[in-house]
Amino acid sequence: FRSSLISFAHQLGFPLMTASVVIDGNGPREAPVFHSVSNMPDAFKDASADPAASRRDPINRRLRTLSVPVVYDQTLYVSEGAADLWESQAAFGYRCGIAVALHLPAGKHFLLGVDRDVKLPKAEDKMVKLMGELQLLAVHAQAAALRFLTPTEQLPRPSPRELEVLRWIREGKSTWEIGNIIGISEATVNFHVANVVRKLSTTGRHQAVLKAISQGWIV
């Protein structure tokens, strides 16, 4: 996964790449957890590990809320009063670049950035092409990143009745039809659906079906 992302970054003209899955903390005082791969120079890892500097970084601040590519160079850092941060990273080849964030369900985020020490193209069409290609790469890479970079998720197994309801949802049955088939009320069907959606940390019944299939609970 890491080698593939580095190769794509090189094809775009960027020798440096960083990809991270960020998982929000459980509360405002709990720091997010980062799982990353990169070809960052070892010497820069220590220089970039300061949490206070990370919070000041204008790229990081933008990526928290934006879902479009963010372009940076020295000008951005100077305009935001963070010229010292740019100077510290420029020595390691991080002079300009593009980064994008995908904000996913359950408090997860995928960040992908490419960096280099030569100026970005001035032509607007070239920059639009670079940003579009990076965003497309991020969309394709985020599922693999969640699989490879985050710890294995230990999910509670749904009850037999919850799995039965999911099987009928997979067959395209409505709540009313499922209730008639297995002899329970629509309210009870909805109760089981709500329980299994919560257990599997999904945003709806159809995602719950897909997750149950991926776990081998529905065949």
Side-chain angles (χ1 to χ4, degrees), residues 186-208:
E186 287 186 71
T188 304
V189 173
N190 286 328
F191 172 78
H192 289 309
V193 170
N195 274 349
V196 76
V197 164
R198 175 182 52 78
K199 282 183 180 180
L200 302 185
S201 300
T202 63
T203 58
R205 59 179 61 195
H206 297 295
Q207 285 191 4

Side-chain angles (χ1 to χ4, degrees), residues 32-96:
V33 177
F34 286 77
H35 303 279
S36 303
V37 292
S38 73
N39 59 346
M40 181 185 298
D42 289 337
F44 183 58
K45 291 179 182 178
D46 294 333
S48 62
D50 182 2
S54 180
R55 288 191 294 270
R56 287 180 55 216
D57 191 294
I59 299 299
N60 292 341
R61 293 207 305 270
R62 282 165 170 74
L63 291 178
R64 290 189 191 113
T65 56
L66 296 178
S67 296
V68 295
V70 176
V71 177
Y72 83 87
D73 58 13
Q74 185 178 16
T75 303
L76 174 62
Y77 280 79
V78 171
S79 68
E80 304 236 350
D84 58 313
L85 297 183
W86 182 87
E87 289 172 1
S88 67
Q89 68 185 36
F92 299 95
Y94 293 83
R95 301 180 68 87
C96 55

Side-chain angles (χ1 to χ4, degrees), residues 9 12-19 59 63 67-73 76-77 89 93-101 111-121 123-138:
L12 294 178
F14 295 85
L16 298 167
M17 177 283 305
T18 300
I59 299 299
L63 291 178
S67 296
V68 295
V70 176
V71 177
Y72 83 87
D73 58 13
L76 174 62
Y77 280 79
Q89 68 185 36
Y94 293 83
R95 301 180 68 87
C96 55
I98 310 170
V100 65
L111 313 181
L112 179 62
V114 291
D115 309 87
R116 67 191 196 185
D117 60 1
V118 297
K119 292 182 179 180
L120 296 170
E124 183 178 352
D125 59 334
K126 291 184 178 179
M127 282 303 303
V128 169
K129 185 173 185 292
L130 279 176
M131 290 189 289
E133 288 177 339
L134 183 67
Q135 189 158 34
L136 184 60
L137 174 59

Side-chain angles (χ1 to χ4, degrees), residues 2 4-5 17 49 53 66 129 138 148-150 179 192 205 208 215:
R2 176 179 177 275
S4 295
L5 290 180
M17 177 283 305
L66 296 178
K129 185 173 185 292
F148 293 134
L149 300 185
T150 57
H192 289 309
R205 59 179 61 195
Q215 295 291 321

